[in-house]
Amino acid sequence: MTYKNLVLSGKHSSISDLNDFILNGEWILKDLDSKKIKQKKIQVFESSSYKINNRINSYKIADEIYDSIKLDLANKLNTLHSKNFSLRFWQILFGYWLVNFIGICVERYFRIHEILEENEIKNILIRKHSNFNFSTNDTFGLNKNSINDDWENNIFYEIIKFFSVSKNLIIEDSSLNGFTKTFYDSNEKKQNNKDKIKNFLFNIFNKFTKKEVLISQTYLPKKFEFFLNLLFFQLPTIYPLHKISYKKKDENMRRKINLVKGEKKDLENFVRYLIPKCLPSSLVETFESLYKNCELIGYPKNSKTIFTSISYAYDENFKFYAAKSVEKGARYFIGQHGNEYFSHRFSTRIELETSDKFISWGYKNSKKIISSFNLKTLKKKRKFNDQGKLLIISHPSIHRVFSHDRYCDYKNAMLNSILLKEKIDKNISNQAMLRLDKEFKINEHSFNKKILNTFNANDLCFGESKLDKLIEKSRLCIFTYDSTGILENLSLNIPTLAIWKNFDNHLNDEFKEKYLLLKKGKIFFEDIDKLVKHINKYWNNISSWWFSKENQSFITKFNEDFNNKGNVKSLIKLKNEIKNYE
């Protein structure tokens, strides 16, 4: 058997001196010098963790680790900060971060284990720093670190050290930090004078208006979020993001958070060992400041009810405010904000565990859930152009925070975008536009160049135009992954197609029949050639297929009790359910 060199970083200088490489993943290719590796044998490792049984198993392991650790971590943080808060308080603060962090540890552990099991590895090329700072300022930073070469290499080094992997390491220095920016830095919007005046007026209203219901980032269209406020007999309010002054890492504080149980060298204890190194500053060094000041940025003093669909994840000021309010008895409602809820093999436990009620777009399988409507499409009009372009919507840049490999989904989505452009009839191809996200240019991948060479510059959109505006100019939308946009378009009855491999690999068994309806209606495809044939056939008369009685029946059945269409009466009903909840 041929011995191979495992490459964990494409930035490692020893690549030019060795041969027979196996790359940890496709993303390593972007950092390799194509001239230096031209004559070398290179294999790209493809994890089997995306397969359905492995995916189920990895989620099960991650969930069990979370359940085992959550109370211990809450107790340690209570002790550290001399508090006596409930587990729910702490889960509002650390739940989303901890689920993602455990997912990263599970995926990276099984990835390197699988590589070593299947290959004879002689050397491991890795970069590390003896004093590497794993921690971020906030929850959001972990997502960015999951695709950061320095952070990931140092995580792999910790895995190798903890589990005593007996392979020769060729080590080079990495940087001292991974991702250092914050959610605020990544989402700060430049305000024009109109925005400044509007925010100023809303701040004045806040000071002189008693508010018992905090409504923020609900996923409702803005005018209906304002209307919901009026239904509660209160003036609408805007709660912009506020910059947080984070404190420097304090090693002494972090040493007090010892979660390791005994001497056992298993995956759970590895996670326990690593958590103190990686916890965001918001939970350690900056905790006291956030706890004291979160109410001073415009939130109501004594909210009795809180409703959000977005802020619970990354807005640290909001999370601290919500946690404090819940401790005082406030009712906490979280709304659905995407398509992965219920239908996907995906953990929604934080939203369900921390809220009093979860507001779904129609699905209900427990008393904890309020069955409602698609919040994002409320009263939106169906707008598309039956003589317009072909709009291809590709997978957004992936953060690798899941307990299984999802990079393969991203790669397949990109490759399908290219194949579509190349295979459809030329007159249609000339009218094709590809929508990518803002991070496409930043997070370079091996296929970026191929995308840029396949599509004309004028036919590429990098998130600068709103998707609604692009849809208005298009006669047909094609999603190359299972997107929230599919539910939005089906709710609005906009001609839509979708394609991805292994259609039910990510689906919970209960929802396979629903997705089969999309197959029967030739809305969803697994085979690119069949999709191309369908587009070519109906391009000149999309409506004859989309609005056919049979196809509309499939769409209605798919949407039923899962993707309900709302109206003003639906919003009033939702308001009453929130108001009357005890």
Side-chain angles (χ1 to χ4, degrees):
M1 184 179 284
T2 304
Y3 282 91
K4 298 174 183 176
N5 298 291
L6 172 59
V7 179
L8 297 179
S9 172
K11 299 174 183 177
H12 204 292
S13 63
S14 293
I15 291 170
S16 58
D17 302 324
L18 301 170
N19 204 348
D20 288 320
F21 296 109
I22 180 166
L23 307 185
N24 174 45
E26 183 126 4
W27 50 90
I28 302 290
L29 289 168
K30 67 182 172 61
D31 292 321
L32 297 180
D33 187 328
S34 57
K35 293 178 181 178
K36 291 182 179 179
I37 64 170
K38 198 171 184 180
Q39 303 300 322
K40 296 181 183 292
K41 293 180 182 178
I42 294 178
Q43 172 193 345
V44 178
F45 172 71
E46 294 186 4
S47 171
S48 64
S49 66
Y50 73 91
K51 293 180 179 178
I52 189 164
N53 289 334
N54 294 339
R55 189 183 294 224
I56 292 169
N57 184 55
S58 68
Y59 268 133
K60 182 173 180 289
I61 291 169
D63 274 352
E64 287 173 352
I65 293 174
Y66 181 88
D67 283 331
S68 178
I69 288 176
K70 63 184 180 183
L71 184 57
D72 291 343
L73 179 56
N75 288 337
K76 288 291 182 183
L77 290 172
N78 268 328
T79 301
L80 180 69
H81 298 298
S82 301
K83 306 294 183 185
N84 190 29
F85 294 133
S86 66
L87 173 60
R88 187 183 180 198
F89 172 95
W90 287 110
Q91 282 191 280
I92 291 172
L93 298 186
F94 70 53
Y96 208 70
W97 179 90
L98 186 57
V99 164
N100 286 346
F101 179 72
I102 292 171
I104 290 171
C105 291
V106 170
E107 195 279 333
R108 302 309 189 274
Y109 168 81
F110 281 114
R111 173 174 288 272
I112 200 162
H113 179 77
E114 190 178 353
I115 292 172
L116 296 176
E117 282 282 306
E118 294 180 358
N119 302 274
E120 287 292 337
I121 300 298
K122 183 178 181 181
N123 301 300
I124 299 178
L125 280 63
I126 188 169
R127 299 169 70 241
K128 81 170 189 76
H129 194 290
S130 57
N131 294 310
F132 189 78
N133 179 13
F134 289 96
S135 66
T136 55
N137 286 316
D138 58 9
T139 301
F140 178 74
L142 182 66
N143 286 23
K144 291 294 187 179
N145 271 335
S146 72
I147 54 173
N148 179 280
D149 181 84
D150 291 318
W151 192 87
E152 184 175 57
N153 265 252
N154 280 275
I155 287 289
F156 275 125
Y157 181 77
E158 293 291 341
I159 292 173
I160 290 166
K161 182 177 68 172
F162 187 88
F163 292 102
S164 303
V165 175
S166 56
K167 298 293 177 184
N168 184 53
L169 304 182
I170 302 177
I171 300 172
E172 285 187 353
D173 284 342
S174 73
S175 68
L176 177 59
N177 297 292
F179 181 79
T180 56
K181 292 185 179 180
T182 66
F183 184 60
Y184 177 88
D185 297 328
S186 301
N187 289 273
E188 183 184 12
K189 295 177 182 177
K190 289 184 178 179
Q191 292 186 350
N192 55 35
N193 289 332
K194 185 179 177 181
D195 290 330
K196 289 177 181 177
I197 293 169
K198 186 166 61 175
N199 287 339
F200 174 74
L201 291 174
F202 275 120
N203 283 332
I204 291 176
F205 291 152
N206 273 358
K207 290 179 181 179
F208 296 100
T209 305
K210 185 179 179 182
K211 251 187 201 322
E212 293 188 348
V213 183
L214 188 153
I215 297 169
S216 178
Q217 298 291 312
T218 61
Y219 227 43
L220 288 164
K222 282 298 175 190
K223 63 181 178 181
F224 287 106
E225 191 170 285
F226 284 7
F227 180 56
L228 183 59
N229 271 282
L230 296 176
L231 289 175
F232 280 102
F233 300 102
Q234 60 185 32
L235 289 171
T237 306
I238 293 174
Y239 301 106
L241 282 174
H242 284 262
K243 192 174 182 65
I244 298 168
S245 296
Y246 287 98
K247 296 184 179 180
K248 291 182 179 180
K249 186 176 181 180
D250 186 332
E251 294 288 359
N252 291 326
M253 286 187 77
R254 290 174 180 268
R255 287 191 194 99
K256 296 175 183 178
I257 311 170
N258 183 7
L259 294 164
V260 174
K261 284 188 172 181
E263 302 295 324
K264 198 172 182 181
K265 294 288 185 178
D266 60 7
L267 183 51
E268 181 183 322
N269 244 1
F270 172 70
V271 175
R272 287 175 173 273
Y273 153 75
L274 208 54
I275 282 174
K277 293 174 181 281
C278 299
L279 280 171
S281 174
S282 57
L283 291 170
V284 186
E285 294 85 359
T286 316
F287 174 86
E288 286 296 339
S289 174
L290 276 165
Y291 182 76
K292 289 176 182 177
N293 298 324
C294 66
E295 293 167 315
L296 304 178
I297 61 171
Y299 291 133
K301 287 186 177 180
N302 292 296
S303 289
K304 293 183 179 179
T305 302
I306 298 171
F307 172 31
T308 188
S309 298
I310 299 173
S311 301
Y312 73 89
Y314 300 120
D315 187 340
E316 302 299 341
N317 276 313
F318 174 88
K319 286 158 63 177
F320 270 79
Y321 177 81
K324 286 180 77 170
S325 299
V326 165
E327 285 289 284
K328 297 174 187 175
R331 302 168 304 174
Y332 189 29
F333 296 82
I334 295 179
Q336 181 174 337
H337 72 273
N339 68 318
E340 295 186 338
Y341 291 85
F342 312 115
S343 59
H344 289 206
R345 299 184 191 279
F346 167 80
S347 178
T348 57
R349 61 180 305 158
I350 301 309
E351 294 93 309
L352 290 167
E353 287 184 19
T354 59
S355 63
D356 287 289
K357 286 282 188 176
F358 182 83
I359 300 166
S360 80
W361 291 356
Y363 182 74
K364 183 180 177 74
N365 67 350
S366 77
K367 292 180 180 179
K368 186 105 183 212
I369 296 170
I370 295 174
S371 173
S372 195
F373 56 89
N374 189 319
L375 301 172
K376 197 170 183 184
T377 62
L378 179 62
K379 293 294 288 180
K380 280 190 177 180
K381 294 180 180 179
R382 181 177 72 217
K383 291 183 180 179
F384 68 97
N385 182 350
D386 60 7
Q387 296 301 310
K389 293 192 170 191
L390 174 67
L391 178 60
I392 304 169
I393 301 113
S394 200
H395 206 302
S397 298
I398 199 86
H399 294 139
R400 295 172 46 234
V401 296
F402 297 91
S403 57
H404 67 279
D405 180 17
R406 285 189 68 178
Y407 187 85
C408 57
D409 297 333
Y410 179 64
K411 176 185 174 183
N412 289 334
M414 289 298 174
L415 294 178
N416 277 333
S417 300
I418 294 167
L419 288 171
L420 263 174
K421 172 74 173 173
E422 292 176 342
K423 291 193 170 196
I424 51 177
D425 286 350
K426 190 172 181 180
N427 69 305
I428 306 174
S429 179
N430 290 337
Q431 300 177 68
M433 172 177 278
L434 176 62
R435 187 183 193 266
L436 301 156
D437 70 351
K438 294 176 182 177
E439 295 188 8
F440 177 83
K441 292 179 179 178
I442 302 169
N443 302 327
E444 293 184 17
H445 298 279
S446 58
F447 39 76
N448 280 34
K449 191 177 288 185
K450 179 70 172 173
I451 287 279
L452 297 174
N453 289 338
T454 303
F455 289 83
N456 295 325
N458 292 335
D459 296 328
L460 289 171
C461 174
F462 298 99
E464 62 272 10
S465 298
K466 288 186 176 181
L467 183 56
D468 288 351
K469 297 297 182 184
L470 296 176
I471 291 173
E472 284 181 23
K473 300 174 183 177
S474 307
R475 74 176 77 178
L476 180 63
C477 299
I478 302 177
F479 291 87
T480 59
Y481 68 108
D482 194 357
S483 164
T484 301
I486 296 172
L487 295 191
E488 292 170 23
N489 277 13
L490 292 180
S491 172
L492 297 171
N493 209 9
I494 292 171
T496 299
L497 292 169
I499 181 168
W500 60 82
K501 286 185 177 181
N502 306 312
F503 100 99
D504 62 351
N505 203 32
H506 63 295
L507 296 176
N508 283 318
D509 293 341
E510 181 183 352
F511 284 86
K512 289 181 181 179
E513 285 300 318
K514 272 196 178 290
Y515 276 75
L516 281 172
L517 292 169
L518 300 185
K519 260 192 161 185
K520 289 177 183 177
K522 294 189 176 178
I523 296 169
F524 168 76
F525 291 82
E526 290 180 272
D527 185 288
I528 190 74
D529 292 320
K530 290 180 180 179
L531 173 62
V532 166
K533 185 178 179 181
H534 182 76
I535 296 168
N536 291 340
K537 180 179 179 180
Y538 288 105
W539 180 251
N540 291 322
N541 192 0
I542 292 293
S543 293
S544 67
W545 152 68
W546 185 258
F547 293 107
S548 68
K549 186 176 180 181
E550 183 182 39
N551 201 51
Q552 288 295 298
S553 173
F554 289 138
I555 294 168
T556 299
K557 288 177 183 176
F558 177 84
N559 284 336
E560 187 178 2
D561 297 328
F562 176 53
N563 185 34
N564 296 337
K565 189 172 176 62
N567 52 38
V568 173
K569 285 184 179 180
S570 308
L571 186 61
I572 293 171
K573 181 184 176 183
L574 176 60
K575 172 259 177 183
N576 289 331
E577 293 200 63
I578 292 173
K579 182 181 178 181
N580 297 329
Y581 173 73
E582 296 295 339

